[in-house]
Amino acid sequence: MAPTAAPRFAATRDALDRLTSIGWTWGLAAILAGLALSFLLFGYAVVYWRNADMDFMVIYSALAMNDSKPQHFLDHTAYLTIDSVRTWFALLHGLGWLDAFTLPAVPPATDAAGFDIAMTNAVRAGRVLAFLIAVGCVLIFAHLIRRIVRDWRVALLATLAFALSGGVAVHSRILRSELVAACPVIFALMILIVIGRRASALRPAGMALAAALCVIGLENKVQAILLIGALPLVILPFGGEASGSVLFWRTRNGLLALAVAAALALAAGYAAWPLIATGLDQSLLEAARFHPLLLGRFGVYQVALALLMLGCMLVYAAIWRVSAAEAMTSAFAVVAGAALALLLLDLDYNAGNVIAVVNPLEKMLTFVDAGTSEVAHGSSLAALLSLLLQDLGSVIARYTFVLHSSPRPTVFLVWLIIPAIVHAWRTGKRQAALQALVLLLMAVGIDTLGVRRGLKVEYFIFTDPLVVLSGAVLLDAMPDFRFHNWTYPIALTLLGLHIAVGQAEPIKYAFMRKGPQSSCEWNGYYMPLMPLPWCLTPSTAQPK
């Protein structure tokens, strides 16, 4: 009896078993059902002007583009979001489910009742698309995290944490650019982790896909450059015994693959060069009021970032026994993938999008306050460090939650991740500790740079997945924790906090009593051909 009784007793204490008792498939279905319920209650049914700023700006540009007009909203750049909404509206109109899919089809502001009906339908259609994109992101995350960690139960809990994070909670019900910008880069990181740990002859193809995803994210919001710039350094600890090149790369076939990759990189780079040249056009940059960030010249930090990526690839190859042929092939694959993804800008070409994507940091600096811009373009290193330390302090205060409350449930994960990193290091699991540490530092660094823009809840989608990945890596590396007496109650507490804090912001927006009048401040600038009923005269200030 003893040999069989011990495992049965251990299973009853296994916190992961108790938390994931319904299994992977049903657990994933439950997560999606919860997202759908939250969306229906606090997203789809909310009055159409509740999240008026980006919802209206994106929808206005989509309606204008369906009327053969150029993209109007180019701020950062929301290119793929707007183009997907434009296509979505055209599809729904073709199916007979949406009447007003162009600007002329929307009743004028003087017809307040007709305008309300048309915009309610358009905004709800857009919110459905946002929800579907969020669901797609959760499913992709679930697939990739299951390939990263060994235990499917850890993967399911990580998926739950991602799905209930503040970033996903917000972006699953409004039209903004951050979700389509952040998730492709996060998925690129996860792909790099997967292919880095398990060598194969097709690994350079995975590198090309990761590079393409990074550019896709950048094309939708220039803030993605912060994630992209950190990837080469973050990926260095993610190797293993199976990371060394397979035999294919040490034969003539490997050299042939290298030649093919070089030819593809040359062809893709040649095709994308006109876009790069446009992005560095001095007259366009001056017209957009861009100012070079370094050395008084545009293109300096872009070259430095490319050299950093190449250098980190060489370091990774040396650490994890990747052959020279595979490393060079991977470098050419990255160039090809990035160049091909850049060509997406030609689908609905606009020079404003091009110069923003090619010069992302300069574009970001057009939105900061005058003081920050002066420090960024100045030569005082002390002033820059002082600003960064001040912003780092603000981030740390937010992570404590006590010093600065935040609608972000992942801060409670950080409370556990930091001591877990220390424990993992002291118990000999140093690679896992290092992996978790670099992910957490990446999140802290990006959040620090986001303080200048207020570190709004919409920006959490850039760093919440990093915190979740950090926790998943640690939990997977230290399976004994699941038998600790405190693991199950702590996990239940975290789950409750995740739901309560993560859903607080959507519920607040759904029940707030503030009217739409604030949109009148930017209506004329961002929507010149669509005046709003409540902005016409005092008698129409309140929507009917």
Side-chain angles (χ1 to χ4, degrees):
M1 290 296 293
T4 58
R8 188 179 301 115
F9 174 73
T12 61
R13 296 182 56 210
D14 191 332
L16 294 187
D17 274 345
R18 299 171 69 183
L19 291 167
T20 60
S21 59
I22 60 176
W24 171 262
T25 301
W26 283 108
L28 199 56
I31 292 171
L32 298 182
L35 288 177
L37 179 62
S38 176
F39 168 73
L40 290 173
L41 293 177
F42 310 118
Y44 183 82
V46 174
V47 62
Y48 74 93
W49 43 257
R50 175 56 66 207
N51 302 298
D53 53 356
M54 280 294 291
D55 274 357
F56 278 14
M57 295 169 192
V58 168
I59 287 173
Y60 174 84
S61 275
L63 295 173
M65 292 173 72
N66 276 335
D67 193 33
S68 301
K69 291 181 173 60
Q71 178 183 334
H72 185 81
F73 182 85
L74 301 165
D75 278 6
H76 44 63
T77 63
Y79 169 65
L80 297 175
T81 296
I82 292 171
D83 213 44
S84 62
V85 173
R86 175 189 67 83
T87 305
W88 176 247
F89 281 4
L91 173 63
L92 294 180
H93 179 74
L95 295 173
W97 295 347
L98 183 67
D99 293 330
F101 81 112
T102 64
L103 278 180
V106 178
T110 52
D111 179 8
F115 183 91
D116 283 354
I117 293 173
M119 284 302 292
T120 295
N121 292 334
V123 170
R124 286 183 173 178
R127 289 174 181 171
V128 169
L129 178 62
F131 172 72
L132 293 176
I133 292 173
V135 167
C137 289
V138 170
L139 291 174
I140 294 172
F141 183 93
H143 173 73
L144 290 174
I145 192 65
R146 190 165 183 184
R147 297 194 63 185
I148 290 174
V149 299
R150 295 165 297 180
D151 194 328
W152 67 266
R153 299 171 300 176
V154 175
L156 184 61
L157 292 176
T159 302
L160 177 65
F162 173 69
L164 296 180
S165 64
V168 174
V170 169
H171 289 287
S172 62
R173 66 199 77 232
I174 61 175
L175 291 169
R176 288 189 63 95
S177 58
E178 288 86 1
L179 182 68
V180 180
C183 282
V185 185
I186 294 297
F187 297 153
L189 170 62
M190 298 174 77
I191 289 170
L192 291 175
I193 292 173
V194 171
I195 64 177
R197 288 175 168 178
R198 305 176 184 88
S200 73
L202 295 177
R203 184 155 55 180
M207 298 286 290
L209 176 59
L213 288 171
C214 287
V215 174
I216 287 172
L218 186 63
E219 287 171 336
N220 209 56
K221 190 174 180 71
V222 292
Q223 192 173 340
I225 190 64
L226 304 178
L227 270 174
I228 296 169
L231 285 189
L233 296 171
V234 171
I235 199 64
L236 289 178
F238 287 93
E241 296 180 357
S243 297
S245 296
V246 296
L247 182 61
F248 174 87
W249 293 108
R250 306 182 191 279
T251 65
R252 291 182 179 179
N253 289 332
L255 296 177
L256 178 60
L258 171 59
V260 172
L264 289 175
L266 182 63
Y270 179 80
W273 178 251
L275 291 169
I276 299 173
T278 299
L280 297 175
D281 186 283
Q282 194 71 30
S283 61
L284 291 175
L285 292 168
E286 290 177 357
R289 299 182 179 180
F290 280 23
H291 303 285
L293 184 63
L294 293 174
L295 305 179
R297 301 187 63 179
F298 291 100
V300 175
Y301 69 84
Q302 293 89 328
V303 173
L305 179 58
L307 292 176
L308 174 66
M309 290 181 178
L310 178 60
C312 288
M313 289 179 68
L314 295 177
V315 171
Y316 188 95
I319 295 174
W320 303 112
R321 307 174 310 284
V322 178
S323 70
E326 184 182 359
M328 294 174 64
T329 303
S330 297
F332 284 125
V334 167
V335 173
L340 290 175
L342 194 63
L343 294 177
L344 288 175
L345 292 172
D346 280 330
L347 294 179
D348 283 296
Y349 180 82
N350 190 301
N353 287 331
V354 177
I355 63 172
V357 171
V358 177
N359 306 277
L361 293 183
E362 287 86 353
K363 181 66 174 179
M364 289 173 62
L365 287 174
T366 63
F367 295 103
V368 299
D369 57 83
T372 304
S373 180
E374 183 179 349
V375 171
H377 290 108
S379 57
S380 174
L381 182 60
L384 180 60
L385 289 176
S386 175
L387 191 68
L388 288 175
L389 287 175
Q390 179 183 342
D391 294 344
L392 176 60
S394 177
V395 170
I396 293 174
R398 285 173 165 84
Y399 277 24
T400 66
F401 194 81
V402 177
L403 298 177
H404 191 303
S405 61
S406 172
R408 186 177 193 177
T410 50
V411 298
F412 304 110
L413 286 178
V414 174
W415 295 3
L416 296 179
I417 289 172
I418 292 175
I421 290 174
V422 175
H423 178 77
W425 184 270
R426 294 182 63 182
T427 55
K429 300 185 182 297
R430 297 190 172 182
Q431 186 177 4
L434 185 59
Q435 291 170 349
L437 179 63
V438 295
L439 288 169
L440 186 59
L441 290 177
M442 183 180 180
V444 172
I446 293 172
D447 281 341
T448 298
L449 295 174
V451 169
R452 291 291 102 188
R453 290 283 290 159
L455 197 57
K456 298 182 290 188
V457 64
E458 293 85 356
Y459 296 163
F460 295 165
I461 192 64
F462 286 98
T463 49
D464 277 346
L466 300 174
V467 176
V468 173
L469 278 172
S470 179
V473 167
L474 285 171
L475 184 59
D476 192 53
M478 298 185 291
D480 291 344
F481 268 136
R482 69 182 192 265
F483 297 110
H484 195 284
N485 291 334
W486 286 100
T487 300
Y488 184 68
I490 289 175
L492 285 182
T493 302
L494 281 177
L495 178 60
L497 287 171
H498 243 73
I499 295 174
V501 178
Q503 296 299 307
E505 201 71 8
I507 293 174
K508 182 185 77 174
Y509 272 99
F511 288 100
M512 69 167 48
R513 296 186 178 184
K514 182 180 178 181
Q517 287 77 17
S518 61
S519 56
C520 299
E521 298 174 4
W522 45 259
N523 177 212
Y525 178 78
Y526 285 110
M527 303 164 59
L529 301 179
M530 185 189 285
L532 300 172
W534 50 88
C535 300
L536 293 180
T537 65
S539 63
T540 57
Q542 294 295 330
K544 298 180 180 179

